[in-house]
């Protein structure tokens, strides 16, 4: 929200200035109309600014950007199978996102299997109007069905790649950009016009999403004839902040997740697992900055009402059938579990230490102290985990990380009885919330390092517990203490000895903070 608030403040301020200027002009004064800060005319001379009032619609050359316009590209698959009540809920969610500063561009993708081309065109157009009508019920200005701006080029006429493909491109962006400038939600049927005959034909919706991504991000290379010499012009129109896929099937399936879905995907590290299902979002994300992400969910999840405190851009579309995917960041794990599986240390065996050359201890300490907001007693902490360290996980350039240990239940000396424990879980404050860093670290922990389970504890009143509840397989509030215990061990029951060992460890760990206040870990 910190990224969106300055934009919204400018938007509201400029909206007020625009209305005031328009009123002044209508009273016969010569004060020029201020265009919205999101999209402004590229007219340079001051005497041309006043004529901008009559310039509608604007040409492509005029639709340049000076302030960030945050856009979500929405692929809505099979809307014809969605009930009116669900579609109404989706429309409300998209309207709420717009109020928060995230404007959606919705691409309609009807199934059309076994239908002739004319019927497919009619169905797609009808569903686009249905979506626009639903949005109009919640917001003003609402939505506008855009005559498809897609141009279908002659096959093989241009070099083809995800970055420069000309087989499908935005040949006429004017109506689309005018709708965004007017604060409308554009609805685009997945149709295109052939470049040579202007015949309207159904097109692949994934190619439409890529074409829109290139156009909005300034990566579409448009050939403009000039004295028989083509000139390449690049226009950046918006920041594509979010890709949203509304699909009846929901998020990406995962056999090793309690929800049956990947809750978060770090494509930098996990793409091979889900390659067949994520090619389209991956291609689009490869064109966008690392802050962009993709949400894959069902229309029903997108239509759900949320509590007021949850009504923010990420949570508005997150549910048990949802996958959030980001291009992500590199992940470093010491020791590498693919080479050296993490096992309890044996007598005489040297284990990893935080003072080893592979670990940047000052940066690791800074990460922990920044995340927790308090100083670590470094000497005491190193002493406590000496010989117990299982490994560490580092996301990016120490933007997030986890320190994991092998802990012996009180009164136990047998190395085989040690249990895996999440000792420190930290994310830089600047990376908390929207970056997905925490999920990148957590996924690596449960998938690569401790697939058979790990336990940890958190204060009972810790606001992050909701996040832990969604990712753990079980939880227990420890009686007589301000701790809640979590675990990811499959099929763990209250009668298992491992459960009792987990509880004993979580009750006995002493924190190592410099202020000696043993209430936070």
């Amino acid at each position: 929200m910190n990224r969106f608030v300055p934009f919204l403040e400018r938007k509201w301020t400029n909206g007020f200035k625009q209305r005031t200027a328009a009123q002044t002009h209508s009273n016969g004064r010569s004060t020029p109309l201020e265009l919205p800060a999101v999209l402004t005319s590229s007219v340079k001379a001051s005497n041309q600014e006043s004529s901008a009032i009559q310039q509608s619609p604007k040409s492509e050359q005029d639709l340049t950007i000076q302030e960030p316009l945050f856009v979500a590209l929405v692929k809505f698959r099979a809307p014809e199978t969605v009930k009116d009540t669900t579609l109404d809920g989706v429309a409300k969610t998209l309207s709420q996102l717009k109020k928060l500063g995230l404007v959606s561009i919705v691409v309609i993708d009807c199934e059309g299997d076994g239908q002739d081309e004319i019927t497919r065109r009619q169905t797609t157009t009808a569903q686009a109007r249905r979506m626009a009508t639903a949005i109009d019920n919640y917001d003003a200005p609402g939505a506008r069905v855009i005559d498809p701006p897609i141009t279908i080029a002659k096959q093989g006429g241009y070099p083809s790649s995800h970055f420069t493909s000309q087989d499908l491109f935005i040949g006429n962006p004017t109506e689309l950009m005018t709708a965004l400038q007017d604060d409308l939600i554009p609805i685009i049927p997945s149709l295109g016009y052939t470049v040579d005959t202007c015949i309207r034909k159904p097109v692949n919706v994934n190619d439409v999403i890529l074409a829109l991504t290139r156009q909005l991000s300034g990566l579409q290379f448009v050939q403009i004839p000039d004295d028989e010499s083509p000139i390449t012009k690049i226009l950046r129109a918006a920041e594509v902040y979010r890709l949203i896929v509304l699909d009846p099937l929901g998020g990406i399936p995962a056999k090793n997740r309690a929800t049956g879905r990947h809750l978060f995907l770090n494509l930098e590290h996990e793409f091979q697992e889900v390659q067949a299902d994520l090619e389209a979002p991956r291609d689009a994300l490869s064109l966008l900055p690392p802050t962009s992400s993709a949400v894959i969910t069902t229309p029903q999840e997108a239509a759900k009402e949320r509590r007021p405190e949850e009504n923010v851009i990420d949570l508005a579309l997150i549910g048990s059938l949802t996958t959030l995917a980001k291009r992500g960041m590199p992940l470093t794990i010491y020791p590498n579990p693919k080479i050296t599986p993490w096992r309890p240390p044996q007598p005489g065996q040297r284990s990893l230490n935080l003072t080893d050359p592979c670990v940047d201890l000052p940066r690791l300490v800074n990460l922990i102290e920044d995340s927790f907001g308090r100083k670590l007693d470094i000497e005491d902490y190193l002493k406590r985990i000496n010989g117990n360290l299982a490994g560490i996980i580092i996301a990016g350039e120490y933007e997030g990380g986890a320190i994991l240990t092998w802990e012996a239940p009180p009164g136990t000396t047998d190395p085989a009885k040690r249990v895996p424990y999440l000792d420190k879980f930290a994310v830089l404050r600047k990376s908390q919330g929207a970056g997905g860093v925490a999920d990148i670290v957590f996924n690596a922990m449960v998938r690569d390092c401790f697939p058979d389970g790990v336990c940890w504890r958190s204060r009972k009143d810790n606001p992050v517990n909701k996040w832990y509840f969604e990712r753990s397989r079980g939880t227990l509030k420890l009686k007589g203490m301000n701790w809640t215990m979590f675990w990811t061990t499959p099929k763990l029951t209250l009668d298992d000895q491992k459960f009792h060992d987990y509880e004993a460890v979580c009750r006995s760990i002493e924190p190592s903070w410099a202020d000696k206040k043993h209430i936070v870990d």
Side-chain angles (χ1 to χ4, degrees):
M1 289 306 298
N2 289 335
R3 301 188 66 203
F4 284 77
V5 168
F7 164 71
L8 289 171
E9 289 176 344
R10 287 193 299 269
K11 178 181 176 182
W12 293 331
T13 301
N14 287 325
F16 173 77
K17 290 180 180 179
Q18 180 177 344
R19 291 191 297 273
T20 303
Q23 182 178 3
T24 303
H25 185 274
S26 66
N27 291 335
R29 300 181 183 180
S30 58
T31 306
L33 171 66
E34 279 196 36
L35 297 178
V38 175
L39 289 168
T40 182
S41 173
S42 60
V43 180
K44 297 180 181 179
S46 60
N47 62 346
Q48 289 178 301
E49 290 183 24
S50 60
S51 65
I53 305 169
Q54 287 82 28
Q55 294 177 356
S56 181
K58 295 175 177 57
S59 64
E60 179 182 349
Q61 288 84 351
D62 292 332
L63 295 172
T64 54
I65 184 171
Q66 290 187 356
E67 298 287 353
L69 171 65
F70 295 105
V71 168
L73 287 180
V74 182
K75 170 187 169 182
F76 197 163
R77 194 178 79 85
E80 71 276 15
T81 66
V82 174
K83 296 179 180 179
D84 288 342
T85 53
T86 300
L87 191 79
D88 183 76
V90 171
K92 184 176 183 179
T93 296
L94 297 181
S95 297
Q96 290 172 335
L97 292 183
K98 189 178 76 168
K99 290 178 182 178
L100 292 171
L102 185 64
V103 183
S104 299
I105 300 175
V106 184
V107 182
I108 299 298
D109 177 30
C110 297
E111 291 185 325
D113 292 339
Q115 295 181 346
D116 58 77
E117 198 169 285
I118 295 177
T119 304
R120 287 182 62 188
R121 290 202 307 265
Q122 292 174 342
T123 302
T124 301
T125 302
Q127 291 302 316
R129 291 172 180 164
R130 180 176 172 235
M131 183 79 256
T133 300
I135 294 173
D136 287 342
N137 291 332
Y138 284 102
D139 204 5
R144 178 184 297 168
V145 178
I146 305 296
D147 187 53
I150 306 298
T151 297
I152 308 169
K154 293 180 179 178
Q155 296 294 320
Y158 301 94
S160 179
S161 76
H162 294 317
F163 292 92
T164 62
S165 174
Q166 297 289 342
D167 291 341
L168 207 68
F169 63 95
I170 308 301
N172 181 21
T174 304
E175 188 178 359
L176 169 64
M177 300 312 301
T178 300
L180 291 175
Q181 181 173 330
D182 292 340
D183 208 26
L184 290 158
I185 295 178
I187 312 295
I188 301 177
S190 52
L191 304 170
Y193 290 94
T194 56
V195 69
D196 49 354
T197 61
C198 286
I199 297 175
R200 207 179 191 203
K201 300 174 68 69
V203 292
N204 184 288
V205 68
N206 294 333
D207 292 338
V208 175
I209 294 294
L210 284 173
L212 288 167
T213 302
R214 287 192 295 267
Q215 167 68 29
L216 295 169
S217 304
L219 295 173
Q220 176 168 288
F221 302 97
V222 182
Q223 299 292 332
I224 304 175
D226 181 22
D227 297 329
E228 299 181 354
S229 298
I231 299 175
T232 298
K233 183 169 184 178
I234 304 175
L235 297 173
R236 181 176 181 271
E239 178 175 334
V240 181
Y241 182 79
R242 180 65 39 86
L243 300 168
I244 300 174
V245 179
L246 301 181
D247 191 304
L249 297 178
I252 305 302
K255 295 179 180 179
N256 60 341
R257 300 294 192 274
T259 62
R261 294 288 188 278
H262 285 277
L263 186 62
F264 179 89
L265 281 173
N266 174 23
L267 296 180
E268 183 80 21
H269 195 68
E270 302 176 86
F271 180 58
Q272 298 301 323
E273 287 187 34
V274 293
Q275 184 171 4
D277 297 306
L278 270 180
E279 285 184 354
R282 169 71 175 195
D283 291 342
L285 286 174
S286 68
L287 305 176
L288 300 174
T291 51
S292 301
S293 59
V295 174
I296 305 163
T297 190
T298 65
Q300 290 76 16
E301 285 287 335
K304 279 184 179 178
E305 289 282 353
R306 307 289 172 181
R307 296 192 301 273
E309 63 269 22
E310 291 183 326
N311 193 18
V312 295
I313 288 170
D314 279 323
L315 289 178
L317 289 170
I318 295 297
S320 60
L321 297 177
T322 301
T323 299
L324 175 64
K326 293 180 72 72
R327 188 197 303 179
M329 59 182 60
L331 199 66
T332 305
I333 305 177
Y334 301 113
N336 187 340
K338 295 181 179 179
I339 299 175
T340 307
W342 290 15
R343 296 189 178 94
Q346 300 299 314
Q349 179 185 9
R350 185 189 181 279
S351 61
L352 178 71
N353 287 302
L354 295 184
T355 54
D356 288 352
C358 63
V359 180
D360 192 331
L361 183 58
R363 294 180 75 183
L364 183 61
V365 171
N366 174 72
L367 166 62
I368 294 170
E369 294 181 344
D370 180 82
S371 178
F372 285 89
R374 59 193 308 193
K375 291 292 183 180
L376 186 70
D377 186 334
I378 301 174
E379 183 178 351
D380 182 62
Y381 184 65
L382 292 177
K383 181 180 178 181
R384 190 188 77 74
I385 66 171
N386 183 42
N388 298 338
L389 187 61
I392 65 172
I393 304 169
I394 299 297
E397 295 296 323
Y398 285 80
E399 296 169 63
I403 301 176
L404 298 115
T405 57
W406 292 105
E407 300 292 341
T412 303
T413 58
D414 185 357
K417 294 289 186 179
R418 293 194 178 192
V419 299
Y421 179 71
L422 173 57
D423 190 82
K424 289 287 184 288
F425 188 84
V427 177
L428 290 177
R429 294 195 176 191
K430 69 176 184 178
S431 300
Q432 292 175 5
V437 178
D439 268 302
I440 290 173
V441 176
F442 190 90
N443 287 353
M445 176 183 72
V446 298
R447 183 194 59 240
D448 300 327
C449 304
F450 288 132
D452 295 328
V454 60
C455 69
W456 70 96
R457 70 184 186 184
S458 173
R459 282 179 297 119
K460 291 179 180 178
D461 56 350
N462 190 343
V464 84
N465 284 351
K466 180 179 183 297
W467 191 89
Y468 286 147
F469 281 127
E470 293 172 347
R471 287 154 181 79
S472 64
R473 289 184 178 269
T475 179
L476 174 72
K477 291 184 178 180
L478 301 180
K479 293 181 180 180
M481 307 184 76
N482 191 33
W483 298 112
T484 297
M485 181 177 76
F486 298 87
W487 64 87
T488 63
T489 309
K491 301 179 181 179
L492 186 68
T493 69
L494 302 184
D495 297 326
D496 291 343
Q497 181 59 46
K498 183 177 289 187
F499 171 83
H500 297 296
D501 290 342
Y502 282 178
E503 182 177 358
V505 165
C506 288
R507 286 181 175 274
S508 63
I509 296 292
E510 287 291 335
S512 299
W513 299 109
D515 56 18
K516 302 301 180 183
K517 293 180 181 178
H518 296 171
I519 59 172
V520 179
D521 198 3

